[in-house]
Amino acid sequence: DAGVIQSPRHEVTEMGQEVTLRCKPISGHDYLFWYRQTMMRGLELLIYFNNNVPIDDSGMPEDRFSAKMPNASFSTLKIQPSEPRDSAVYFCASRQGQANTEAFFGQGTRLTVV
Amino acid sequence: AQTVTQSQPEMSVQEAETVTLSCTYDTSESDYYLFWYKQPPSRQMILVIRQEAYKQQNATENRFSVNFQKAAKSFSLKISDSQLGDAAMYFCAYRRGNSGGYQKVTFGIGTKLQVIP
């Protein structure tokens, strides 16, 4: 398996624009997580899904952020409108709950909002 | 709420020497897991080692081992025979046990490890 695949790896956008980050989890994994990493706050869990259903979105900072998982092999994190303070590295991770393994992370998307 | 504290923002070690990274945590749970993740410059988060709270024996993975002190809520990582490839950010992390299916992992702020040739 190629691991968790995120795209794009880097994104630079202007304030006010819509940004969509994409994630393909490892096949067979039933949990998917979105994290945000900043220097000030470290790694924060934004939202996670189980079997494509959002379970806990309490970490989503505000209504400008939304996440979807239309099927088991794809998820998106959307920011609309984007702001400079959204600049961070966004990670997607997936996990197989039954196997009691830990999550595998993608390589992250570095988002810069100017 | 659970918290994870890493009090060493940066550490350095000579190649082939041993280094210990510190981590403390706070929880009222009895069933939980602790982890160390490595993040090299490539940004990939890589699981280094995992410890189940109910196990008294310290986890070991090749050159990596932990000192798990449950009563003190301390979970340090020892890297033996340090190699240049060990240079990275290291994150300590906590997750509640699987009962109830709780999935959230809480991460510390990280320790940057430099390996000196």
Side-chain angles (χ1 to χ4, degrees):
Chain A
D1 199 311
V4 176
I5 300 173
Q6 290 186 247
S7 64
R9 285 218 66 194
H10 305 274
E11 176 79 34
V12 180
T13 191
E14 291 186 347
M15 182 174 64
Q17 296 296 307
E18 177 179 295
V19 176
T20 298
L21 311 182
R22 297 173 176 80
C23 175
K24 182 181 187 309
I26 293 173
S27 177
H29 282 193
D30 52 346
Y31 286 91
L32 184 139
F33 307 84
W34 282 100
Y35 285 88
R36 178 172 68 176
Q37 185 180 33
T38 61
M39 289 292 292
M40 293 299 295
R41 300 171 69 92
L43 267 158
E44 304 172 279
L45 177 65
L46 300 177
I47 185 172
Y48 78 87
F49 296 82
N50 179 216
N51 293 322
N52 313 338
V53 176
I55 302 300
D56 183 355
D57 65 354
S58 59
M60 296 285 263
E62 48 199 274
D63 292 345
R64 297 184 298 107
F65 286 69
S66 62
K68 294 182 180 179
M69 192 165 185
N71 56 62
S73 59
F74 185 65
S75 177
T76 59
L77 178 68
K78 186 179 293 187
I79 308 172
Q80 165 65 18
S82 58
E83 296 182 3
R85 59 193 169 115
D86 302 330
S87 297
V89 179
Y90 291 82
F91 286 98
C92 177
S94 70
R95 174 173 182 256
Q96 188 180 60
Q98 288 279 3
N100 195 25
T101 60
E102 294 318 310
F104 290 82
F105 282 75
Q107 289 199 289
T109 295
R110 180 178 293 280
L111 173 65
T112 303
V113 183
V114 298
Chain B
Q2 293 81 19
T3 58
V4 177
T5 302
Q6 292 179 252
S7 58
Q8 304 155 315
E10 293 190 33
M11 294 280 287
S12 61
V13 62
Q14 290 285 141
E15 196 176 1
E17 297 296 308
T18 296
V19 65
T20 298
L21 308 184
S22 301
C23 173
T24 58
Y25 60 95
D26 187 29
T27 184
S28 58
E29 303 289 332
S30 58
D31 179 23
Y32 54 88
Y33 297 83
L34 297 164
F35 315 93
W36 280 97
Y37 279 88
K38 170 185 177 181
Q39 186 180 39
S42 67
R43 284 204 314 251
Q44 184 84 47
M45 291 286 287
I46 303 164
L47 180 65
V48 174
I49 200 164
R50 167 178 128 154
Q51 175 80 44
E52 290 90 339
Y54 63 85
K55 289 188 177 179
Q56 292 188 341
Q57 188 172 9
N58 290 324
T60 299
E61 288 287 343
N62 301 314
R63 298 182 295 107
F64 298 86
S65 61
V66 298
N67 183 4
F68 174 45
Q69 300 290 326
K70 192 171 184 178
K73 295 181 181 173
S74 169
F75 183 62
S76 60
L77 174 70
K78 185 171 83 171
I79 306 174
S80 304
D81 185 25
S82 298
Q83 300 175 0
L84 294 178
D86 296 333
M89 284 289 287
Y90 286 82
F91 293 92
C92 180
Y94 166 101
R95 177 170 70 83
R96 276 166 55 180
N98 285 336
S99 59
Y102 197 72
Q103 296 293 324
K104 181 176 179 178
V105 178
T106 301
F107 288 86
I109 202 73
T111 295
K112 184 176 182 179
L113 178 65
Q114 180 185 23
V115 181
I116 303 166

